[in-house]
Amino acid sequence: MQKISALIFLLLFSLTIGFSQAYKGRIEASKVVVPDGHYQDEYTFDTSVDPQRWTKEKPGLHISFASTDKLYFRSEVPDLQPESLVWEQAGWRGERLNTTLVVWSPDTLDQVRFVLHDLVGPKGAVLKRENIKLNLVRYVLSNYPYGDGNLDCGPSPYRDVFLMPDRFEPFERFQLPGRTSRPVWLSLEVPPGTEPGAYQGTIDVKTDRYNATLTLKIKVQPPTLPPPTEWKFRLDLWQNPWVLAWYNHVEPWSEEHKLLLKKHMKLYADAGGKYITTYAVHSPWADNSFRIEDTMIDWTKQEDGSWKFDYNIFDQYVELAMGVGVDEAITIYSPVPWGNRFRYRDGKTGNYAYAIMAPDSKEYKAFWNIFLTDLKTHLQRKGWFEKTYIGINESEMKQTLAAIQVVKDHSKDWRITYAGDWHKELDLLLSDYSFLFGKEPSMKEAAERAARGASSTYYVCCNPAKPNNFVFSPPIEGRWISWYAVAYGYDGFLRWAYDAWPEDPTRDARHGSWAAGDCFLVYPGANSGIRFEKLREGISDAEKIRVLRDKAAKSPDKNVKKLMLEFDQHLKSFTTERDFNEQKITDAVQTGEKMLDQLSDLLK
């Protein structure tokens, strides 16, 4: 009886707390403190902001098309009244179109499944059902630190735990427990050779007891979107290839590992990924990953004091990434590892040893001159030198400048990239510069970099709170990121990381040190998710803007020029509006999308 009373008390207490959160009532897992100060699961339960709403829902299947810009919570009746059974969307040939289907019911539904049909267009043209892909959106555990008002890259609070929708999972059918909702993500790939015009088709939704029919109305516009490998937007998501071996319990760089990597990296390439992340040092970021980044270039100090460098893993990874389409840039991290710690193998003992070398020391300059000479020779032999960057990340300015001086003294032909705050003294030294959002150059300074052929991107990480790609971030922020890049004049976007998974990413997205999802955008099994797809969606928008600008510049149509001027004026709002109210940024992106649709119809 005491246990039951305690459980009732905990439930009532959690309900009370739930109403005080930013997402009231959306707490779906509770954490309690145990004596050692850590947090552990004791009870997991669902609550709703308004449990009585379920009693007002008619029994049976409820389904509606819904915006991909929002999140739909497991225990809540979605605000989708009236239900929409028709999806209307315009898109280019070669474009991926996305929508969400939300399924909910006050009673349990078994064997929910979807039967796809072809879409029929002009003169009998067909968009085949094989171009439609459905993914169940799975919920993962996520913290929600916005309410603390202190998101500054410190330890992420574990006291507020939510089930948040993000991870995609292929499915044939699923069970929907009573009084729950479940989003399904629908993607439609429009093949490049598709005949422009209006297409229509249906999807049958079946359960053990109920059925429904959905209608798709797709307007295929004349322009063609280039394939992702030809996109100009510079997407740089840092990779840790060892994490796949660790998670899947296979030997690093075995054939099994490389097969997993090819599928994993293809997802990145299909989003327009441009940079291959490589490592010349072991654990450059102070051992802060669950599976730390190892070196791809093994250093051995031989018995006679000379140095030998093994590029076997480096070569394997670069060739693998290029083989799936990531082939524009190679970044090698880092001449400034955090702590100035460098690992090498002692040729006499066979043991690993560590050297602490500050970039302004004689030892550092002597060693890096040896290494850079060997590295440059290897890169030139492979034909990779012209696309390689030496990468430095958020390092103290004195050390950064000293390291750059060593690299440039070795050869003025080295390209250097730096991710961090804007520093005027770094500007002319860097071929590629990525600025932390909010710590950026002026638009004039960014334009000056572009004019001299230097590339500039920006990034978000464990801060700022908004905009970001956290599991709990409104999905529209992922799409907004690319619109901001275009508006500011940047070449692209960077993020750490693509795949720095915590211990159990398919279930629990929290890291422990940072907010949930901060360290990864995709899931094991080369499975995407809401955050990654919204980021890709924004990059696709950026490419459409680029293509339309080129077409508009050559068009004599006055209506085109007028609309293009209006569009450019609208873009300015992305650089001046810093409120990040979810509705405001949603309206900004959707207004821009409508203007792109108008231009797409005018520019054949």
Side-chain angles (χ1 to χ4, degrees), residues 28 46-48 51 53-55 57-62 73-78 103-110 112 174-182 208-210:
E28 301 192 274
D46 292 331
T47 67
S48 173
R53 280 196 61 182
W54 284 109
T55 65
E57 291 293 299
K58 293 180 180 179
L61 171 68
H62 294 267
F73 289 81
R74 183 176 184 271
S75 61
E76 292 185 5
V77 177
V103 185
W104 72 98
S105 177
D107 50 325
T108 297
L109 301 180
D110 288 320
V112 181
F174 62 89
Q175 182 193 62
L176 181 74
R179 296 195 174 194
T180 66
S181 301
R182 179 55 55 86
D208 57 335
R209 291 174 289 156
Y210 307 97

Side-chain angles (χ1 to χ4, degrees), residues 64 110 208 232 243 286 315 330 367 389 421 476 487 518 526 575 587 592:
S64 179
D110 288 320
D208 57 335
K232 303 302 181 185
V243 78
D315 291 349
I330 304 164
F367 170 78
Y389 295 84
D421 297 354
I476 186 62
D518 177 33
T575 64
D587 290 345

Side-chain angles (χ1 to χ4, degrees), residues 89-92 219 221 544 548 592-602:
Q89 183 72 41
W92 290 16
K219 178 183 178 182
Q221 297 166 310
K544 291 173 72 172
L548 287 172
E593 182 184 21
K594 289 175 183 176
M595 297 174 84
L596 290 183
D597 281 345
Q598 290 177 277
L599 284 164
S600 299
D601 288 335
L602 290 171

Side-chain angles (χ1 to χ4, degrees), residues 339-359:
N340 297 324
R341 181 185 66 175
F342 297 90
R343 192 189 76 173
Y344 65 93
R345 190 189 303 272
D346 187 317
K348 184 176 182 180
T349 65
N351 296 331
Y352 284 118
Y354 290 88
I356 305 297
M357 295 186 290

